Amino acid sequence: QVQLVESGGGSVQAGGSLRLSCAAQGYYASRDCMGWFRQAPGKEREGVATTDSAGKTTYADSVKGRFTISRDNAKRALYLQMNSLKPEDTAMYYCAAHIGCTYCSGGYCYNGKDYWGKGTLVTISS
């Protein structure tokens, strides 16, 4: 069973930074793709960033150059460094594991079984 627990959310002013963390409990394999999603109030959940077993990363266009995804397999952890934050980055951020995915692109991974954490709230004020 895959259990994902996010932390690191909070409230910051525009231009600031936050680092989100995700701890994987239970099943974890370095060969699996992992990623971050977000959902703003009244909007659909959208892919933000992904990383695969080879360390290849993908990002949504809206966060390229500002966000960096990374993982530490020894710690069973996933991170999202968010810089130059904007009010439109305000959302609930979710960690995701994509078990058995075949490829990732533009912040999404495909053909895997998805598992989600409960999310951590990020609020950016102008």
Side-chain angles (χ1 to χ4, degrees):
Q1 185 175 0
V2 179
Q3 293 179 314
L4 303 170
V5 180
E6 302 93 338
S7 61
S11 298
V12 298
Q13 289 189 326
S17 298
L18 282 173
R19 187 188 193 216
L20 305 184
S21 299
C22 172
Q25 302 169 356
Y27 170 85
Y28 178 87
S30 60
R31 64 177 178 272
D32 292 318
C33 311
M34 297 192 74
W36 290 95
F37 281 69
R38 68 185 181 185
Q39 187 167 18
K43 295 187 177 181
E44 293 186 355
R45 188 174 297 189
E46 63 173 349
V48 173
T50 68
T51 180
D52 66 13
S53 60
K56 180 181 176 183
T57 58
T58 76
Y59 297 92
D61 287 343
S62 59
V63 307
K64 280 182 181 177
R66 300 188 298 122
F67 290 11
T68 302
I69 188 172
S70 62
R71 67 194 293 175
D72 185 332
N73 291 323
K75 295 183 178 179
R76 302 156 63 97
L78 183 73
Y79 305 101
L80 186 68
Q81 178 66 44
M82 306 187 295
N83 299 328
S84 302
L85 284 161
K86 303 176 182 180
E88 51 263 44
D89 294 319
T90 294
M92 186 71 80
Y93 283 72
Y94 299 90
C95 175
H98 309 286
I99 310 302
C101 81
T102 55
Y103 75 99
C104 302
S105 177
Y108 295 88
C109 292
Y110 299 89
N111 302 321
K113 183 176 177 62
D114 298 334
Y115 295 86
W116 305 88
K118 293 183 178 181
T120 185
L121 183 62
V122 172
T123 303
I124 311 302
S125 58
S126 58

